[in-house]
Amino acid sequence: MIRAAVLNASPVQPPFAETRPLAIETLTLDAPGRGEVLVRVKAAGLCHSDLSVVNGARPRPVPMALGHEAAGVVEALGEGVDDLAVGDHVVMVFVPSCGHCGPCAEGRPALCEPGAAANGAGTLIGGAIRLKHRGEPVHHHIGVSAFAEAAVVSRNSLVKIDRDLPFEHAALFGCAVLTGVGAVVNTAGVRAGQTVAVVGLGGVGLAALLGARASGAGAIVAVDPIPEKRALALELGASHAIDPREDGADARVKALTGGGVDAAIELAGSVPALDFAYRITRRGGLTVTGGLAAPTERLALAPVTLVAEERTLKGSYIGSCIPSRDIPRYVALFKAGLLPVDRLLTSRGRLDDINAALDALAEGRTVRHVIEM
């Protein structure tokens, strides 16, 4: 039996401390099946992707145990898992990969087709549901369900890490760092000296800023309406911080960067943010979006700009990463002091206080809140 944060209905509107969308319930957690692993969760980060399930922007089947960015300790191995051991420390990754579908065969596990189907259905990649409440199934949140004392996940949802990495920092590598740094390094391929803008300075956006700095970007423009986040961005290495609500904000970015940035990375998850990112991209430049706006949203775009200005608009899911390759690389950069991921951690709390933490996230009062189990 485990305690877990369960969403029983969606959408739910704030203030979440009053509406309490996440109920802390006692669930039955089955033993891991073939190719699965039981992990004792030690720390889990609260992300806008969790919030988007609560408010209905990302519809998921309910009831569902939420949480997808986490780290923990291997407690039991299912049949066929022979490359992990009990006691290993692991980061959880929210896109399990089958290793055999077309995207996986091309080296693009973030786009795994069976993994995407399982995530949409609220099951593990093998189709199983290992969580139950009073005998009734409780869906898995994108293969992880980490707002819980323990989780059963696919072996392919785990990356082993060094035991000296603190769990509260390790958790962030499973989503914020993979998505943000990956959007810069993998999707945009930012090179030394290039100009970069990051639009949206949540945990993922600030991770992207760290990635741009580690890549040797020249001017780094941080864009967000919240003054505290712009101030933090400047501390983390941004050369300029812009409020997109100010008149002429896009023109100011262009003036600062000689006609626009080489790469604009949108990680706010809103159409106005993506529109702003596109407008501040130079002729011949690249606009990357990894913010996951609601499926019903639409972007108005003049196609002639793609042609006449040779512009590129590109999506980035989980930073176009290969987690087994990229997480160790990013951890090494963190340990070398080149990727200060610990600066993204702005608050900590208990599982029982998760609804109040959702309010802080929705109101932009936190960058990354970590729940310590």
Side-chain angles (χ1 to χ4, degrees):
M1 307 293 282
I2 61 166
R3 296 173 74 243
V6 178
L7 179 70
N8 288 298
S10 177
V12 181
Q13 299 305 315
F16 300 120
E18 297 178 9
T19 57
R20 301 191 67 79
L22 295 179
I24 308 304
E25 297 179 347
T26 299
L27 306 181
T28 300
L29 179 62
D30 293 342
R34 182 173 182 81
E36 297 171 357
V37 179
L38 171 64
V39 178
R40 181 63 54 179
V41 179
K42 293 295 186 178
L46 192 60
C47 173
H48 268 91
S49 293
D50 305 307
L51 179 62
S52 67
V53 180
V54 172
N55 65 24
R58 300 291 294 173
R60 300 287 182 185
V62 293
M64 173 174 280
L66 289 195
H68 68 283
E69 179 186 83
V73 179
V74 172
E75 199 161 87
L77 304 172
E79 183 184 354
V81 180
D82 56 10
D83 57 345
L84 287 175
V86 172
D88 282 346
H89 291 198
V90 290
V91 168
M92 301 184 192
V93 178
F94 62 88
V95 179
S97 56
C98 70
H100 306 293
C101 68
C104 285
E106 293 174 351
R108 306 179 74 185
L111 302 182
C112 176
E113 292 166 347
N119 283 358
T123 71
L124 299 182
I125 192 169
I129 293 179
R130 302 298 181 196
L131 294 165
K132 295 184 180 64
H133 184 235
R134 297 174 182 170
E136 295 298 319
V138 174
H139 295 91
H140 297 266
H141 183 209
I142 46 183
V144 178
S145 291
F147 296 150
E149 294 171 333
V152 168
V153 300
S154 164
R155 165 63 186 91
N156 292 339
S157 292
L158 300 174
V159 175
K160 183 179 175 181
I161 57 170
D162 296 337
R163 296 192 182 198
D164 61 349
L165 184 64
F167 288 113
E168 66 270 24
H169 300 153
L172 307 185
F173 285 86
C175 176
V177 177
L178 269 186
T179 303
V181 177
V184 172
V185 174
N186 295 327
T187 313
V190 170
R191 301 186 302 277
Q194 288 191 308
T195 54
V196 176
V198 178
V199 182
L201 302 177
V204 177
L206 287 170
L209 189 154
L210 296 179
R213 186 181 178 192
S215 298
I220 303 175
V221 182
V223 181
D224 198 281
I226 298 177
E228 293 79 7
K229 291 186 175 180
R230 296 198 303 272
L232 179 56
L234 290 171
E235 291 179 18
L236 293 177
S239 53
H240 310 283
I242 302 291
D243 184 344
R245 301 170 301 181
E246 293 182 353
D247 290 342
D250 53 348
R252 185 181 172 201
V253 174
K254 289 182 177 180
L256 289 169
T257 57
V261 295
D262 294 305
I265 319 291
E266 181 275 313
L267 294 164
S270 78
V271 170
L274 177 54
D275 178 69
F276 187 88
Y278 190 77
R279 284 187 280 117
I280 62 173
T281 304
R282 69 168 178 83
R283 294 168 62 88
L286 170 65
T287 309
V288 170
T289 175
L292 284 177
T296 55
E297 295 292 332
R298 296 292 181 270
L299 174 68
L301 180 69
V304 67
T305 60
L306 290 171
V307 178
E309 299 177 10
E310 287 197 356
R311 303 272 291 278
T312 301
L313 176 60
K314 192 172 184 180
S316 177
Y317 189 53
I318 194 172
S320 307
C321 279
I322 300 174
S324 60
R325 176 197 68 188
D326 291 337
I327 287 179
R329 288 180 176 179
Y330 299 160
V331 168
L333 288 171
F334 170 61
K335 289 185 173 183
L338 300 175
L339 202 67
V341 171
D342 54 313
R343 296 293 305 278
L344 306 181
L345 177 56
T346 53
S347 59
R348 311 171 193 226
R350 303 178 306 142
L351 184 63
D352 297 273
D353 301 322
I354 192 170
N355 289 299
L358 276 175
D359 282 320
L361 178 65
E363 295 164 9
R365 292 187 280 114
T366 186
V367 174
R368 257 313 185 261
H369 176 87
V370 166
I371 297 165
E372 297 177 312
M373 304 299 174

